[in-house]
Structures are given as C-alpha cells and as structure tokens.
Amino acid sequence: MQGLTAKHVGLIVCCCATAGIPAAMLVSTPGIFYPVIADDLGVQTAEISAWMSVAMLSSAVFMPLVGNVVGRIRLRPMAISCVLAAALAMLMFSVAPAPWVFWLAGILAGYSFVGTLSLFPATLINRWFVKHVGFLLGLYTAFTGIGGVVFLLVGQAAIDAMGWRATYMLFAAIALGVCVPLVMLFVNETPESCGLRPYGATADSPAVQADAGTEPDVQARAEARAAYRGGAFWAIIAFGFLINLVCQTNGYFPKYVNWVNEQAVAGAVPVAFLTGAVLSSFCQAGNAVGKIGLGAFSDFSVRQAIVLLVGAGMAGMLLVWQLAATPGLAVGGLVFGFFLAGVLVLVPMVVRHVYGNGPVYPLLYSRLAVAPTLGGAAGPSVSFPFVEIHGNEQVVCIFSMGAGRLV
C-alpha cells in the first residue's frame, strides 16, 4: 500500500496555502475593508460589497468552462493563473478610484476561486489520495477560516498603519510570494506522473489517467452526459444550492444580535450576552471545526454526514432564534458554524460518493459546484427584503424553516 511521501504532504500544504492566503484574503477579510473604502470613496458600503456577488457569479461561469479543459491543459499553470488572478484582483482594489473597478476585479476573483478553493484542490486530492479524502478536503478548506483569523488581525493593523490601499498591495505580495513557489513545487497531474501511487492505494488499484494535452476520456464524457439526465445529478444541484443559500444567513447574525440588544434595552427580553462580532467568531470557530470533523466523518458515511449537517443547521438556527438573550445564542452560533462547512466539504464528497473519483469527477464536479455558488449569490437577495421589512427575528425563523427543507 502506498504510504505518505513528501510529494503527498507537499500537495496538502499547497492546497492549505492557496485556501488560507489568497482565498482567505478575498473571502474572509472584506468586512474590515468595506467601511473604510466606502468612507474614502464617498459611496455606500453596498456599492463596494457588490464585488463579492460579482465574484460568485463569475466563479459560477468559470467553473464548468475550466472543468471542460481539465485533462487538456496541465493543472499547474492553471493553478498559477488562479493565484495570479487573486493577486491582480487585490492590486486592482488597491488602485480603484470608483466602485466599478471593484466589480471588474470581482470577475478575476471569481476565476481565482476555481483554483484556490474548489475545483483544482478537490480534483488533486481525489487523484492523490484514496484514504482520508474527506478529512483532507475539510483540512484544506478549514484554512479559509484559519487564514481569515490571521489576515483579519494583520489587515486591520495594516489598515490602521498605512491605509487600505497599501494593505491590499501587501496582501497581493504575500499571496504571490508564498503560493506561486508552492504550486510550482508540488502540483503535479497525478502521483503516477511522479512514479508514485495515490496514498492508500494497493498494488492492484487502477492508476489515475489524466494525461494533459489529450481530450478527456470519451467514456468519461459519455458518463457525464448520462449523469446530466439522472435524478441524482439534479438532487445534488438542489442540495448544494440550498445549503449555501441558508449559509448566507450568517452574514445577518450581527444585525440580528443588535436587534436583540435593542429589545433588551427596551426591557422586552433579558440582557443579551453577546455582540454581533462575538457571535460571528463563534460561527467561524464552528466552521473550522466542522470542516475537519465533517470531512473525517464523511470518510465513514456520506449519508450520515448529510444527516449530521442538516441537523446542525436546524439546531443552530433554532438555538439562535429561541435562545437569543441567553448563553444558548453562543452555542447556536457554534453549531450553525458547523453547518457552514457543508458547502466546501460535503458537496465534493457527495459527488465522489455518487460518481467516483475517475476522469468523470472534474467534469461533473465543475458543473455541480455551480449550484452552491449561485445559492451564495442569491442568498443576500433573498434575505435582505426580510431584514428590512420583517426584522431580524423573522429572518432567522424563515431560514431555520429553510434548513428544515434540506431534509
């Protein structure tokens, strides 16, 4: 049986770095930039934050396009191009004179997510590992949260010291200086191309066929076309879309806590125990633990992992909604954070569980991964009217029922 080698370990380090540096910089830190940029440019915060929706839509467009060329073009230059796109997006942020430049940079950011967060890392891990695939998917995606914590602190200090424009330049330099060398060293098409086998593979295990420069396997394309007509394919699309749709509720938790605190001041409820920032921190902690834990659990049973995920979403929402002015609010945030892990961990594991990890995997995953991306883009549009019209308590109630429908 193939054991761990420096190449296997280096690949995981590379995946963790791309998720924990450029992806985390773009996904996990915008909150510290939005108010400062809006004040500096004299615009509404929503005009700046709109770049994230553009990035989600851009990622949804690029995902199937890139999935079609996996196998024709080597993954290493494509992964490097995604790191470069992330750095270029942050450099465009740093010189932006108006919101429209942020929106344009969001297109590049969306492309970068394909190579730093989803398709490329998931494809490589599926090719290089037979054992502990779910755990490793959870491990590298957990670095979006770990990197987020680090770069939130670094970014805030840098903004205070030298301004937001210089901070984005610093972020771009760090992303290039760390991730490009790691990709050059450790990203290879298959372990067989390095004289190795996937970790956990035995001598009689079939080799992974992924020769760059050739058309994707004809049988794989036939299998993909057959899958498009199957009920499982559309069930996974609905699953991924609804998971990330509900996950967007997390962005409204701070406003919900402020509303609860206002009720406490008015005497309608006991004094709240948390601030919005503290609740978000509990969610991020649950997210990091959930990615690793859910990934490891899915190695044993994907079906039971789905049940666990849905249960965490429902329980977290109910705790936040029903126990808002008690310590149960913190517990609810922690449990709901576990639910947030499902997008990047469980969706690729479901695809692997249903369709296997052969040449058909990138073709199908690149299309199925569009669903959670669209769910993330649609989430703010769905929830915002309820926030403004019905108030935050009703938003949590509505989305807790939405989580229940995932069953």
Side-chain angles (χ1 to χ4, degrees), residues 258-317:
N258 292 338
W259 178 82
V260 172
N261 291 340
E262 291 172 1
Q263 300 304 303
V265 172
V269 297
V271 177
F273 288 87
L274 298 176
T275 65
V278 172
L279 181 59
S280 292
S281 297
F282 273 97
C283 285
Q284 289 303 316
N287 189 8
V289 173
K291 283 175 177 174
I292 297 174
L294 189 67
F297 190 77
S298 67
D299 282 325
F300 296 98
S301 174
V302 172
R303 291 186 179 184
Q304 292 181 25
I306 293 173
V307 174
L308 180 62
L309 176 77
V310 174
M314 295 177 66
M317 279 293 189

Side-chain angles (χ1 to χ4, degrees), residues 41 65 107 164 166 169 222 264 300 321 346:
L41 298 183
L65 297 178
I107 299 174
W164 64 271
M169 290 183 182
F300 296 98
W321 175 36
L346 204 50

Side-chain angles (χ1 to χ4, degrees), residues 155-374:
Q156 189 61 68
I159 290 171
D160 294 339
M162 55 187 183
W164 64 271
R165 294 184 185 274
T167 300
Y168 266 131
M169 290 183 182
L170 174 64
F171 277 10
I174 293 172
L176 290 174
V178 176
C179 293
V180 170
L182 286 174
V183 172
M184 291 291 294
L185 284 172
F186 295 115
V187 172
N188 294 282
E189 292 297 306
T190 65
E192 286 81 4
S193 66
C194 302
L196 301 170
R197 298 187 70 79
Y199 171 70
T202 57
D204 57 350
S205 298
V208 176
Q209 300 298 324
D211 297 326
T214 62
E215 289 289 332
D217 187 81
V218 174
Q219 182 179 354
R221 289 196 172 275
E223 291 176 9
R225 286 193 295 269
Y228 302 153
R229 298 189 294 270
F233 182 85
W234 296 101
I236 297 172
I237 284 181
F239 177 70
F241 180 88
L242 289 174
I243 284 179
N244 211 18
L245 180 74
V246 177
C247 282
Q248 303 313 304
T249 313
N250 177 57
Y252 292 95
F253 277 5
K255 191 170 183 178
Y256 171 68
V257 173
N258 292 338
W259 178 82
V260 172
N261 291 340
E262 291 172 1
Q263 300 304 303
V265 172
V269 297
V271 177
F273 288 87
L274 298 176
T275 65
V278 172
L279 181 59
S280 292
S281 297
F282 273 97
C283 285
Q284 289 303 316
N287 189 8
V289 173
K291 283 175 177 174
I292 297 174
L294 189 67
F297 190 77
S298 67
D299 282 325
F300 296 98
S301 174
V302 172
R303 291 186 179 184
Q304 292 181 25
I306 293 173
V307 174
L308 180 62
L309 176 77
V310 174
M314 295 177 66
M317 279 293 189
L318 289 172
L319 287 170
V320 170
W321 175 36
Q322 295 293 337
L323 303 177
T326 73
L329 181 63
V331 177
L334 191 69
V335 174
F336 188 74
F338 194 91
F339 176 79
L340 300 177
V343 176
L344 290 176
V345 176
L346 204 50
V347 172
M349 283 301 289
V350 169
V351 178
R352 176 188 172 92
H353 176 73
V354 175
Y355 300 109
N357 66 332
V360 74
Y361 180 87
L363 291 172
L364 291 176
Y365 180 58
S366 64
R367 286 154 176 77
L368 290 166
V370 172
T373 303
L374 293 177

Side-chain angles (χ1 to χ4, degrees), residues 5 8 22 34 52 55-56 70 72 79 139 145 148-149 167 170 184 224 226 272 296 302 326 348 355 372-373 406:
T5 68
H8 291 88
Y34 289 156
M52 184 61 75
M56 292 297 102
V70 171
R72 304 181 196 177
L139 178 64
V149 172
T167 300
L170 174 64
M184 291 291 294
V302 172
T326 73
Y355 300 109
T373 303
L406 287 175

